[in-house]
Amino acid sequence: MKLSLKDEWAVFGREVAAVLGLTNELSNSDVTILLKYLARDKQVLAYDKDVIRLGAPGEVPAPISKQDREIASLKSLMDDLNEQIRSLETRIAALRERSQKAVELKNRASALTALRSKRAAETVLARRTDTLFQLEEIYGKIDQASDQITMLRVMKGSTEVLRNLNAKVGGTQDVEDVLDSLKDEMGQVEDVGMAISQAGQETNAAAEVEVDEELDALMRENHRIAEQEAAEETKRRLDSIQTVGKADDSTANQAKDGRQTTAMQIPGPSLTEEVRTIERMSLDQGASGTPSGISDVSWNSLSREKDANATLEMS
């Protein structure tokens, strides 16, 4: 079934309104203005009184052809079949509900009538569904052929581009010549780099010799300084030892002089007389072993003093 001018544009208006999110459908005047703007100014579609066809992205759409009209007729028939199928499905559901209510009311005649109508609608629905399936298969083949045509056109264009690029390259001989020239230039770069490296190595060798000589001089200087410091340290130690020896001698002399002075300070005659007196008094010693008239403490003190005097005389 082929849509009329009014139906085709009305469908387009509804689809545009749905895409733009409009609450109201576009009128015929709005659709006419929109189609003219898109075809003439934007060049994104082509249309006539029966067909509206969008162009491929980046391409100016060609005028409507007979092939476009046949494809549009096929799509219109598919849309009509889809509408019929939806209507039949709704009718079958209503007849099923009617038959169930007739059975509940025990109305046999109404139930049979509803079931017969449902069975007829189901038969029509099956035929419409089969037809729609065949048309969708045909339309799928058409889309596939159209995609193949587009792919072939793109491949042809790509072939032309590659041909032009290969012509600019100049063939394999030119490529080989370019590669040979590139190798030669790269070899020259390597030769220059090697020459620069050798010059740098010679400069580095001379610098290394100077560095080694400077290091030897520093090591000799450090060794001389270390020997000088060791000699000074040895001298300081010897001086310290001599100073300590002199101090020890002086201390010994002072100790000897002190002992002599102590001996001189003890009154010899008085001590001797006291000792003699003690010896005489020993005749009167009692049973305790201590001379009479002298306490134990005094006797011990006198004995210690006598021993000390004897020690000093021996020195």
Side-chain angles (χ1 to χ4, degrees), residues 10 12-28 30-31:
F12 179 77
R14 287 195 298 270
E15 292 179 355
V16 172
V19 171
L20 298 177
L22 302 177
T23 56
N24 298 325
E25 295 183 2
L26 298 177
S27 63
N28 290 334
D30 295 334
V31 174

Side-chain angles (χ1 to χ4, degrees), residues 85-138:
I85 289 171
R86 285 193 294 270
S87 177
L88 289 171
E89 289 175 347
T90 304
R91 178 176 173 78
I92 290 170
L95 291 172
R96 184 183 297 109
E97 185 178 358
R98 185 187 303 175
S99 63
Q100 290 177 355
K101 289 181 178 180
V103 171
E104 291 176 358
L105 297 174
K106 297 181 180 180
N107 190 344
R108 181 180 175 82
S110 298
L112 290 174
T113 302
L115 290 174
R116 290 191 185 99
S117 300
K118 184 175 76 69
R119 181 61 60 83
E122 289 175 349
T123 302
V124 175
L125 177 62
R127 288 199 298 267
R128 295 291 186 272
T129 303
D130 292 339
T131 303
L132 178 61
F133 175 76
Q134 294 175 1
L135 293 178
E136 288 178 346
E137 187 176 2
I138 293 171

Side-chain angles (χ1 to χ4, degrees), residues 12 34-35 38-40 43-47 52-55 61:
F12 179 77
L34 180 61
L35 288 173
L38 294 176
R40 183 186 63 188
Q43 296 182 350
V44 296
L45 57 78
Y47 73 99
I52 300 172
R53 178 172 58 80
L54 295 174

Side-chain angles (χ1 to χ4, degrees), residues 157-171 175:
S158 301
T159 302
E160 187 65 24
V161 171
L162 290 174
R163 184 181 295 109
N164 294 331
L165 293 176
N166 289 329
K168 292 180 181 180
V169 171
V175 173

